[in-house]
């Protein structure tokens, strides 16, 4: 009991930080794996809807911003990223207009790369260490 107390007293914060970082990394790995699976079927409109919804939810978790309620133009303004806005417009066309572009797999890649970039920035800033 004394040993547990001493370990907790001296290493408790370090252990907690490592645990939160581990959970943060695992969440990212699960998101990337799921997103890649969805990217394999860009012609499936339901799949595209789900991919966009999960991407926005993941970004909302990373950014602590209400990303899931934002429109494509609002996201474009928030991140000031034309490639991202263009990719989101392709998703909008696929989901709402039924227009499946040949560039949709590239749009998936842009969203994935953007999420990875934001993940790395959040991790570097210590967001995974609640």
């Amino acid at each position: 009991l004394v040993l547990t107390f001493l370990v907790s007293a001296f290493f408790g914060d370090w252990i907690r930080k490592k645990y939160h970082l581990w959970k943060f990394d695992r969440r990212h790995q699960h998101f990337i794996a799921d997103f890649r699976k969805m990217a394999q079927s860009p012609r499936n409109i339901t799949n595209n809807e789900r991919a966009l919804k999960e991407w926005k939810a993941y970004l909302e978790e990373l950014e602590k911003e209400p990303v899931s309620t934002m429109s494509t133009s609002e996201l474009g303004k928030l991140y000031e990223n034309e490639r991202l806005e263009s990719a989101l417009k392709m998703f909008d066309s696929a989901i709402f207009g039924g227009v499946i572009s040949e560039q949709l797999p590239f749009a998936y890649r842009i969203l994935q790369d953007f999420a990875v970039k934001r993940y790395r920035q959040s991790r570097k800033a210590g967001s995974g260490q609640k």
Side-chain angles (χ1 to χ4, degrees):
L1 192 61
V2 172
L3 181 62
T4 302
F5 175 75
L6 289 174
V7 168
S8 177
F10 288 109
F11 300 108
D13 287 339
W14 181 82
I15 292 170
R16 253 185 307 287
K17 286 179 184 177
K18 290 295 182 185
Y19 175 71
H20 286 298
L21 199 54
W22 176 79
K23 280 181 28 179
F24 189 69
D25 291 344
R26 292 281 296 174
R27 170 70 176 109
H28 177 70
Q29 291 170 358
H30 285 294
F31 164 74
I32 292 298
D34 290 346
F35 198 77
R36 284 183 179 158
K37 285 178 190 172
M38 289 181 275
Q40 292 175 354
S41 307
R43 297 222 169 267
N44 184 334
I45 292 174
T46 307
N47 201 42
N48 295 333
E49 284 180 44
R50 197 172 126 234
L52 186 59
K53 184 177 179 181
E54 286 190 25
W55 180 84
K56 284 183 173 184
Y58 180 67
L59 227 60
E60 188 168 287
E61 189 177 309
L62 285 178
E63 303 286 321
K64 308 294 188 244
E65 293 276 342
V67 173
S68 62
T69 61
M70 292 182 179
S71 68
T72 295
S73 59
E74 290 172 328
L75 288 169
K77 288 176 187 173
L78 176 66
Y79 294 115
E80 298 176 355
N81 186 322
E82 289 179 27
R83 289 182 66 211
L84 177 65
E85 191 171 357
S86 173
L88 290 169
K89 285 179 182 178
M90 278 188 240
F91 271 89
D92 288 348
S93 293
I95 294 167
F96 301 114
V99 178
I100 306 291
S101 168
E102 294 297 319
Q103 297 296 313
L104 198 55
F106 186 63
Y108 267 97
R109 186 63 190 195
I110 290 170
L111 294 185
Q112 179 183 321
D113 289 348
F114 187 79
V116 168
K117 179 182 170 192
R118 301 308 286 193
Y119 158 77
R120 287 181 180 151
Q121 289 173 342
S122 290
R123 193 175 194 286
K124 191 174 184 179
S127 292
Q129 301 178 11
K130 294 182 182 178

